[in-house]
Amino acid sequence: MKHLIFCSILLCAIALPALGELTDTDLDKIRLIVKEEIAPVKADVETLKVDVARLEGRLTGVEKQISHATHVTYGLIALIVVAIGLPAWRGKRDREQG
């Protein structure tokens, strides 16, 4: 048991000086790695921006087409109401006079 405690204390004493300090060279290497990894991500972001702008243009075109179709539909409904309502109104007026 004494040997186990002595070995544990000895190993802890040996491990104490091994502090994990980063040197300037280590930090520079980390910076280079990060820059290399970020470059493709920036390119992907730019590509996504272009794709989103293209989709916004398409959506605007679709919105205009839907708006136009809605207005045409309202116009046709008005024409149908007039085409059916006017003869019916005249017929009623003729029946009342006759």
Side-chain angles (χ1 to χ4, degrees), residues 21 34 42-43 45-46 50-51 59 67-68 90 94-95:
E21 294 182 10
V34 169
K42 285 184 180 179
V45 169
E46 293 300 322
V50 170
D51 290 344
L59 286 176
S67 175
H68 179 69
R90 283 187 178 174
D94 291 341
R95 276 181 272 153

Side-chain angles (χ1 to χ4, degrees), residues 74-90:
Y74 290 154
L76 289 174
I77 289 171
L79 285 173
I80 291 170
V81 168
V82 169
I84 293 173
L86 190 60
W89 182 66
R90 283 187 178 174

Side-chain angles (χ1 to χ4, degrees), residues 15-62:
L16 282 177
L19 298 175
E21 294 182 10
L22 293 175
T23 63
D24 289 335
T25 309
D26 294 334
L27 292 174
D28 289 337
K29 287 180 183 178
I30 292 171
R31 285 186 190 107
L32 287 174
I33 291 171
V34 169
K35 284 182 183 178
E36 290 174 1
E37 293 297 322
I38 289 178
V41 172
K42 285 184 180 179
D44 290 343
V45 169
E46 293 300 322
T47 304
L48 285 175
K49 285 181 182 179
V50 170
D51 290 344
V52 167
R54 188 177 303 134
L55 284 174
E56 285 178 356
R58 287 182 185 174
L59 286 176
T60 303
V62 169

